[in-house]
Amino acid sequence: MEADPRDIAVCADCGWPVRTPLQEASRHTVAEGTVVYTRCACGRVRVWLEPCGGGAPRLLVGADSVSYAPRTECHAGP
């Protein structure tokens, strides 16, 4: 089942919005763009790729811990 486009990706453990991590741990430039390590409010680590030339960041590690919730029910984030 596909998520409703009005929904927001949240951590399956704590409900924190995935796109607004509590902490950015580090950034590393690679050929495809920038790899960003982030930490959720519950402590879960996720790894993102921010592509060169723009485009939406892509979640590389930690996607199995993401669920979707209606924006109105989601934690507000930082």
Side-chain angles (χ1 to χ4, degrees), residues 4 18 20 30 46 69 72 74:
D4 185 317
V18 172
T20 55
V30 296
R46 290 195 176 84
T72 57
C74 181

Side-chain angles (χ1 to χ4, degrees), residues 25-47:
S26 65
R27 294 179 156 264
H28 305 278
T29 303
V30 296
E32 295 84 12
T34 303
V35 175
V36 182
Y37 293 80
T38 62
R39 188 171 304 279
C40 182
C42 66
R44 184 174 293 276
V45 173
R46 290 195 176 84
V47 181

Side-chain angles (χ1 to χ4, degrees), residues 1-12:
M1 182 173 151
E2 194 170 316
D4 185 317
R6 295 169 295 188
D7 291 350
I8 186 168
V10 296
C11 178

